[in-house]
Amino acid sequence: MPLYRLLTVLFLLLGSAVSAATRPNIILIVSDDVGYGDIGCYGATHVRTPNLDRLAREGTRFTDAHATASVCTPTRFALLTGKYAWRVPGTGIAPGDSTLLIPQGTPTIASELKSAGYSTGLIGKWHLGLGTTTPDFNSDLKPGPVELGFDYAFFIPATGDRVPCVFVQNHRVVDLEPTDPITVSYKGRIGNEPIGSEHQDWLKIKGDRSHSDAIVNGISRIGFMTGGHRAQWVDETIADTLARQAVTFIERQKEDQPFFLLLTPHDIHEPMVPNPRFRGTSDCGWRGDVIHQLDWTVGEVLGTLDRLGIAKNTLVIFSSDNGGAIKSTYDDGTNPLHGRQSSNGILRGQKGSLYEGGHRVPFLARWPGHIPAGRESPALLALVDLLPTFADLAGRTISTGASPDGVNLKSTLLLDAKAKQRPALVLQSNRTTYLAIRDGDWKLVETAAGPQLYNLAADLVEAHDLAKSEPARVKSLAAKLAAERARTQ
Ligand code: CA
C-alpha cells in the first residue's frame, strides 16, 4: 500500500477513534417532584443521598437550572421537543387516557440522538399520552415513545396516582391477560370493583377526594379502571422494576455504539410508597424514605457504569421535572414528618408555582475528564435546552425546525470559560394565562394583580417586588415576553 494511502487509512482510523471517544453515552435521570432542597448536595440534612452527592463530587453542581415548567407534563414536553409547552394548547397535566401530545414526526431528543447513531431508551414515567385516539390498553399503544425515537421503552403511561396502574413495554401493557381486559375511564365510575371513596377500610393509605377512585394495590387513584389485574403494579416495587430495567438496558448496549437513556423514576411523586427496606430510614417519614429509594436507583445506575467500565465515557445528568411540594394527598401516617426539611430550600413557592420553588431544580452533571469534578456553576440553563445540547455532544446538526426554544448550552455544561449567558428563558406553571420570564439577574412574574419584578442576584427568595420602582425594566421584560409569545418559530 502506498504511503499516502496508509496514512489516509491511519488518519481515518484515528479520526473515528477520536469521535467515538468524544461522543459520550448519555444518561439523563429526570426525577419527579424533587425540590431544590430535597437532596444532600443541595443542603438537605434530614435525608442521606450518598449516590447523588457522589455525582456532585465527581461532576458539577448547577445552581440555576430550571425545569422549564413547574408541573410534570409541560416540562417533559419541553424536554422531549425543545419547544415550550405553553405554545401548544392542551399540554397541561395529562389524564391517564390522553392521546399523544407530541405529534408523530416532531423531532425529539430521542429521534435526534437516534439519527446521530445512538441507541435510545426510555425507562420510567411518560405522562405525554399515547395514540391518536383514546388509547385502548388492550391493543397496540401507538404512536408513543417508540414512534418518537426511542428504540426501547418501558414506562408508566401517566403517573403513579392515576390509572391505568400498569407498565407498558414498547407498545403493549406488560403481563396483561387477554381474558381480563383493562378498561379506563376519567368520566365516571365503570364496572363494579370497589372504589376508594366507598371502601376506606380497604386502603393501606387513604387518599383525599380526588385520589379516591379505582383501588389498585390497596391505594385509591385518580380515575377509574377495571380489569388488567395481573398487569397491575405493586407500588412498593416500582423503583426496583425501573432500576432493573435501566441496568439491563445499559448492559445490553454494544461497545461500538453510544447510547442515550432517559430514566424518569416515579420517585418522589405521590403516592410515596417506599419499599419496606427503605421505610423508616429517613427523618422525614415516607417522603424522605422515597428520596432514599431514588438515591438507591441512582446508585444502581452508577454502579453498573463502574462494573462495565464505561463511567468515563458516559455523561450522567440528574435533575427533576418540577419543584418539590409538601402535600398530604395521601395519608401514610408520616405526613407530620414530611415538612421537617424544606423541599425547596429557601426558595419561594413550590410545585405548580411561577416562583423559583416551582421550577428551579437540582441539576448534577458528571462526565469524567470533560466536566470538572467538585465544581459549582451559577449558569442559567433549563431542561428545554438539552435537545440541542445533547445533539451537539453527539456531533449532530439538529433537524430543520427542531428545538425552536432550546439553546445549545454545550459550552455551559462543560464549564467552558467562554460560555455565553443563556438568553431570556420563559417559565410556566400548569396554566398558561400567566408566564414568567428570566433574563440575567432579573425575573418578571405575571400575576392576576399585574407583573412582579425580582432581582434574583440580590433577592433569590423573591421577597421584594420591584415592579413599581423599576417601570422601565418591567416594560422591557414584558416586551421580551410578548415577543416570545408572538414568535411562531
Ligand atoms: Ca412532577
Side-chain angles (χ1 to χ4, degrees), residues 32-33 72 125 269 321-322 351:
D32 206 339
D33 294 5
C72 179
K125 171 170 157 180
H269 197 280
D321 71 338
N322 50 251
K351 176 181 180 178

Side-chain angles (χ1 to χ4, degrees), residues 416-452:
D416 182 337
K418 290 189 225 106
K420 290 200 190 85
Q421 181 174 276
R422 192 201 190 286
L425 171 70
V426 182
L427 299 149
Q428 73 167 98
S429 61
N430 192 38
R431 302 183 60 149
T432 55
T433 314
Y434 305 116
L435 301 172
I437 186 164
R438 171 74 190 282
D439 194 16
D441 293 337
W442 294 88
K443 181 178 173 191
L444 185 86
V445 181
E446 294 181 324
T447 76
Q452 299 175 351

Side-chain angles (χ1 to χ4, degrees), residues 104-168:
Q104 198 176 347
T106 306
T108 68
I109 197 166
S111 67
E112 291 294 308
L113 289 171
K114 186 174 170 154
S115 298
Y118 277 58
S119 156
T120 55
L122 163 79
I123 291 163
K125 171 170 157 180
W126 176 238
H127 208 185
L128 288 165
L130 293 165
T132 50
T133 55
T134 302
D136 173 1
F137 289 92
N138 305 293
S139 64
D140 272 353
L141 296 160
K142 63 182 181 185
V146 172
E147 286 65 35
L148 292 177
F150 289 100
D151 295 318
Y152 178 74
F154 185 97
F155 58 95
I156 291 169
T159 64
D161 60 348
R162 278 179 179 77
V163 299
C165 302
V166 295
F167 294 114
V168 176

Side-chain angles (χ1 to χ4, degrees), residues 192-245:
N192 50 15
E193 293 179 33
I195 58 170
S197 54
E198 291 175 3
H199 287 273
Q200 295 271 305
D201 52 320
W202 280 45
L203 305 176
K204 62 172 97 169
I205 55 176
K206 290 190 172 46
D208 66 10
R209 273 178 73 103
S210 69
H211 294 74
S212 288
D213 303 335
I215 301 174
V216 174
N217 185 36
I219 299 169
S220 48
R221 320 278 168 161
I222 305 173
F224 300 91
M225 169 182 176
T226 61
H229 293 88
R230 196 177 70 179
Q232 291 174 1
W233 67 52
V234 175
D235 300 73
E236 288 83 345
T237 59
I238 288 177
D240 289 351
T241 301
L242 297 181
R244 191 167 57 246
Q245 282 283 332

Side-chain angles (χ1 to χ4, degrees), residues 84 86-87 403-406 424 426 481-489:
Y84 291 135
W86 52 263
R87 294 195 191 281
S403 185
D405 297 305
V426 182
L481 184 49
E484 277 295 327
R485 276 195 168 107
R487 189 160 65 85
T488 51
Q489 193 55 263

